[in-house]
Amino acid sequence: MNLHSRRSDWSLAIAELKDRYGADAQTGQSALSLHAGDESHHDRQSPGVVVYPASTQDVADIVQIAIRYGIPVTPFGAGSGLEGGAVPEVGAISLDTSRLNSIIEIRPDDMIARVGAGVRRLDLNKHLRDTGLFFPVDPGANASIGGMASTGASGTNAVRYGVMRENVLGLTVVTGTGEIVKTGTLARKSSSGYDLTRLFVGSEGTLGIVTEVTLRLHPLPDAKSAHASFETLAGAVEAVTAIKKAGLAIGRVELIDQPLVEVINRRGALSLPPLPALFFEFHGYASEIEGLASTIGGLIEDCGGTPLIWAETQAAANLLWTIRRDCLAWAKAERPGAHSWPSDVCVPISKLADVILETRNDVATSAIPAYIVGHVGDGNFHCVFMLRDDEEDEVALYADRIVRRALAVGGTASGEHGVGLGKRDFQLEEHGIEAVRMMHAIKATLDPHNILNPGKVLPDL
Ligand SMILES: Cc1cc2nc3c(=O)[nH]c(=O)nc-3n(C[C@H](O)[C@H](O)[C@H](O)COP(=O)(O)OP(=O)(O)OC[C@H]3O[C@@H](n4cnc5c(N)ncnc54)[C@H](O)[C@@H]3O)c2cc1C
């Protein structure tokens, strides 16, 4: 916390914000409770005010007010985060980016979009529909582009198109000193200067508030979906490695473990063998994919897989990916009163099968239902617990062990959800004291008053 901040001053800051922003600075109960947290299991905390800036200059002015009164500011995108990153300090400012929602410019020939931080990813893709282009990063929620940049988000398409770090070309950011900084260019690559864009991507609102984002777009691919079941989880992971090594273009590949396959079957959404399954989407020209079908099928069979079942219509493909999107919600619905706690680790692909199997064996010792889904092409998987409120302590132990298992094989505590509140305690173990000290030094330079989302990402030293 800012050494000079006095909580008694915060009410003066809130009064000044209300005076300046009128209806765009809200203190009503519904606005405060909507901004008290995100979709994670972390405790919610009510801000004192929710401000809705309409421009980068508004954001800079809000930060100046925050500096003057020593009141923390936590950016809020869509609130779909899974590690408590958008939980504000009690009584402080939640800065909602939803009014920064203009699609500033689409440059089809450059395959670039410039958008406000509050634009939602599905709205951007709807806007791009007639251009033949799309923005591929696809977390399961309809997140804001600013939130996605700030968490370093990814999703099912990452195996082919990369994550936010690869798809953000530049940013406009307001730092903790209230300065407006522009990073990056419209060029698709650059060797010029320090890479400030990637410093802010993944910084979760602790170094700056993103107001505009320049994004890399991609041509909409021809795609064909399919699924296969596997005798073992290890076989499923080996199949993905074999297909990737053969240079075949996987657009998406998602692992669904046996307990979750059984949920899908109980739901009647599809009738699958009660075995681990992979859902695939192959990208390329239709004729190219058809030509490769038997090679891909052969590699899968070598790894103990069933013959691939191809989605022959667009409706069948849509069904497959709707199932992938919704199956965890169905699993949660099977346990009344449960909420979900998704772990999120990423490991070297050669270690993925071992880490998943050890995790599966470990969670089998608990009565709390747990399901594993994985963006296996990247080595990223989630073990999702469906727990009741009084089971949090038990799940915390399992979740800690999952992270430790990942770190032990050279992996990371978070593949895509970020650090927020939940993974702070692992930062020293993952990065080492020297790197964490360097992170603190960067934080002190860009946010010397410690007003930007304090208490997130960095562990105390
Ligand atoms: C059902 C479901 C499925 C999901 N699937 C995935 C998935 O597959 N992959 C994945 O990566 N994530 C996934 N998520 C998590 C979530 O969607 C992502 O973390 C997303 O990037 C959060 O965006 P948001 O706009 O909701 O950000 P918020 O939750 O509002 O904020 C997240 C963090 O970013 C900060 N922030 C937000 N906006 C800004 C800004 N403009 N400037 C600076 N900081 C900012 C916040 O302070 C906070 O620290 C899923 C979530 C749900 C609920």
Side-chain angles (χ1 to χ4, degrees):
M1 187 57 46
N2 182 348
L3 288 178
H4 307 293
S5 101
R6 289 201 322 267
R7 267 183 177 261
S8 55
D9 291 345
W10 292 10
S11 57
L12 300 176
I14 292 170
E16 187 168 333
L17 288 166
K18 283 176 74 82
D19 195 36
R20 161 89 193 260
Y21 293 101
D24 291 330
Q26 295 186 5
T27 50
Q29 206 43 53
S30 68
L32 297 185
S33 64
L34 192 71
H35 292 80
D38 55 14
E39 295 282 338
S40 71
H41 62 279
H42 293 288
D43 289 344
R44 298 174 73 79
Q45 302 190 148
S46 180
V49 63
V50 181
V51 194
Y52 299 81
S55 66
T56 299
Q57 191 55 52
D58 278 352
V59 174
D61 294 346
I62 292 165
V63 169
Q64 291 296 358
I65 291 171
I67 292 170
R68 212 159 353 104
Y69 294 99
I71 181 172
V73 183
T74 293
F76 186 99
S80 71
L82 293 172
E83 285 299 350
V87 177
E89 288 271 305
V90 175
I93 301 172
S94 175
L95 185 150
D96 185 311
T97 60
S98 58
R99 292 192 63 207
L100 301 171
N101 62 350
S102 62
I103 294 182
I104 302 161
E105 186 184 16
I106 304 292
R107 302 168 69 103
D109 291 344
D110 294 321
M111 296 202 287
I112 281 173
R114 288 179 53 232
V115 302
V119 168
R120 301 292 185 96
R121 70 173 187 86
L122 293 179
D123 293 336
L124 173 59
N125 277 328
K126 213 179 283 172
H127 187 89
L128 291 170
R129 207 165 30 201
D130 296 329
T131 64
L133 300 170
F134 82 125
F135 182 64
V137 184
D138 64 335
N142 189 13
S144 71
I145 297 293
M148 289 164 61
S150 300
T151 58
S154 60
T156 63
N157 284 316
V159 62
R160 176 135 172 98
Y161 298 98
V163 303
M164 284 306 274
R165 279 199 166 80
E166 282 95 44
N167 285 286
V168 173
L169 289 170
L171 297 167
T172 302
V173 184
V174 176
T175 68
T177 58
E179 264 172 307
I180 298 171
V181 179
K182 288 184 190 281
T183 74
T185 67
L186 295 176
R188 283 182 88 81
K189 64 179 194 180
S190 168
S191 298
S192 174
Y194 294 158
D195 194 342
L196 297 182
T197 304
R198 274 161 199 77
L199 177 61
F200 286 109
V201 171
S203 65
E204 302 182 42
T206 62
L207 301 181
I209 301 171
V210 176
T211 59
E212 289 178 16
V213 190
T214 304
L215 297 168
R216 197 187 277 266
L217 303 177
H218 299 262
L220 264 172
D222 272 350
K224 191 130 192 216
S225 297
H227 63 90
S229 302
F230 289 81
E231 283 160 24
T232 62
L233 264 169
V237 174
E238 276 163 26
V240 175
T241 309
I243 294 169
K244 281 184 69 179
K245 273 191 184 158
L248 306 175
I250 301 180
R252 316 195 229 184
V253 55
E254 294 288 302
L255 172 74
I256 297 180
D257 76 345
Q258 179 176 334
L260 199 49
V261 164
E262 288 167 5
V263 170
I264 293 168
N265 286 343
R266 280 196 290 279
R267 184 78 180 197
L270 216 58
S271 180
L272 298 167
L275 294 169
L278 287 177
F279 287 8
F280 290 97
E281 190 174 83
F282 296 99
H283 288 184
Y285 294 112
S287 56
E288 202 178 35
I289 299 170
E290 273 157 31
L292 293 172
S294 70
T295 313
I296 295 167
L299 291 171
I300 287 174
E301 280 176 44
D302 289 348
C303 298
T306 60
L308 269 176
I309 298 177
W310 292 90
E312 295 301 346
T313 60
Q314 191 54 50
N318 292 346
L319 174 66
L320 208 57
W321 295 105
T322 304
I323 289 170
R324 166 61 188 89
R325 189 193 62 204
D326 294 344
C327 58
L328 283 164
W330 300 337
K332 186 164 70 174
E334 285 190 349
R335 192 165 193 230
H339 60 278
S340 63
W341 177 329
S343 68
D344 163 44
V345 293
C346 192
V347 298
I349 301 201
S350 61
K351 306 290 182 198
L352 182 62
D354 289 347
V355 175
I356 290 181
L357 284 173
E358 282 170 36
T359 300
R360 188 71 271 163
N361 291 337
D362 190 22
V363 299
T365 61
S366 170
I368 300 168
Y371 304 91
I372 292 178
V373 289
H375 310 307
V376 274
D378 305 320
N380 181 200
F381 77 92
H382 309 297
C383 181
V384 186
F385 298 87
M386 302 302 174
L387 69 160
R388 299 212 171 106
D389 288 345
D390 60 350
E391 294 167 336
E392 296 235 340
D393 289 348
E394 185 182 343
V395 168
L397 296 176
Y398 284 94
D400 272 21
R401 285 202 290 275
I402 292 171
V403 175
R404 295 241 143 70
R405 229 171 267 133
L407 296 182
V409 297
T412 173
S414 174
E416 57 182 14
H417 295 165
V419 175
L421 293 165
K423 299 287 172 60
R424 278 178 75 204
D425 291 346
F426 299 104
Q427 295 302 294
L428 272 171
E429 202 171 322
E430 178 170 339
H431 301 291
I433 181 76
E434 296 79 8
V436 170
R437 273 205 206 107
M438 194 179 284
M439 292 184 204
H440 272 278
I442 293 168
K443 168 81 172 165
T445 301
L446 295 179
D447 181 24
H449 311 284
N450 195 23
I451 51 159
L452 291 185
N453 212 5
K456 311 291 166 48
V457 182
L458 294 176
D460 297 331
L461 285 181

